[in-house]
Amino acid sequence: MSGPNILLTRIDNRLIHGQVGVTWTNHLGANLVVVANNKVAEDEVQQNLMDMVLPDTVQSRYFTLQKTIDVIHKASPRQKIFLVVKDVQDALALREGGVPIDNLNIGNMHYEEGKKQISSTVSVDEKDIAAFKRLDELDVKLDLRGVPSERGQNILDLL
């Protein structure tokens, strides 16, 4: 049996919003958005708000990181999965847990105290940089880009 049909994994600290729910989902042809985040998996109100921006043809699932690791391999081949995580540590935990992440789109990582801004939408600290380097060692393609029409660049070139 082949692995799950993960079209793309995206880091976006906003998780599902217009850009993710419409632009990326349509571009990829995804019919399922899986949000892997421990906090949101327990927050039905936030889930309902995020579901409002998804087209009717796209389903959503909100799983903890561990549940994602446990169930992603049971996905039907018909499920064209767009996997969304909040930060690079979550992406690394999933990859190290056996989730087949080959391509990682880095969309949004907001600035906060102690982080340096490396693009208009991405700020990182030493912990983030170490996680990106580890993902690179695991042969994950690291593509920084906000929307599909932008030209992506390897985030390691900016660190």
Side-chain angles (χ1 to χ4, degrees):
M1 184 176 149
S2 65
N5 188 6
I6 299 174
L7 304 173
L8 184 68
T9 303
R10 176 178 170 94
I11 295 173
D12 196 318
N13 59 305
R14 301 168 296 176
L15 299 173
I16 299 177
H17 53 92
Q19 208 175 66
V20 166
V22 179
T23 307
W24 277 102
T25 302
N26 288 341
H27 172 76
L28 295 169
N31 59 18
L32 176 63
V33 177
V34 174
V35 174
N37 180 268
N38 292 340
K39 191 172 173 189
V40 172
E42 309 299 324
D43 188 341
E44 219 174 287
V45 172
Q46 197 171 357
Q47 292 174 23
N48 290 335
L49 289 170
M50 288 191 273
D51 282 347
M52 290 169 62
V53 301
L54 288 174
D56 292 340
T57 57
V58 178
Q59 294 185 315
S60 63
R61 300 287 184 277
Y62 299 92
F63 296 147
T64 63
L65 296 176
Q66 188 59 53
K67 183 164 184 180
T68 304
I69 290 166
D70 294 343
V71 304
I72 198 80
H73 293 282
K74 297 175 185 171
S76 161
R78 294 185 312 276
Q79 292 176 306
K80 297 175 187 158
I81 302 168
F82 182 21
L83 181 58
V84 182
V85 297
K86 195 170 192 81
D87 58 41
V88 65
Q89 280 75 29
D90 286 356
L92 181 57
L94 292 175
R95 181 68 172 81
E96 289 183 331
V99 176
I101 297 172
D102 300 318
N103 295 298
L104 182 62
N105 165 247
I106 302 98
N108 255 33
M109 293 174 62
H110 283 178
Y111 178 81
E112 48 190 66
E113 193 69 37
K115 292 195 175 206
K116 71 174 182 176
Q117 191 165 349
I118 60 169
S119 80
S120 61
T121 59
V122 175
S123 297
V124 295
D125 60 19
E126 292 305 315
K127 192 174 164 191
D128 297 329
I129 292 168
F132 280 121
K133 288 180 178 176
R134 177 68 183 131
L135 285 163
D136 182 59
E137 290 169 7
L138 295 169
D139 294 321
V140 177
K141 183 178 175 239
L142 304 170
D143 179 49
L144 185 135
R145 110 177 46 194
V147 292
S149 59
E150 285 179 5
R151 194 167 150 259
Q153 63 185 124
N154 187 327
I155 195 168
L156 295 179
D157 296 341
L158 303 172
L159 301 178

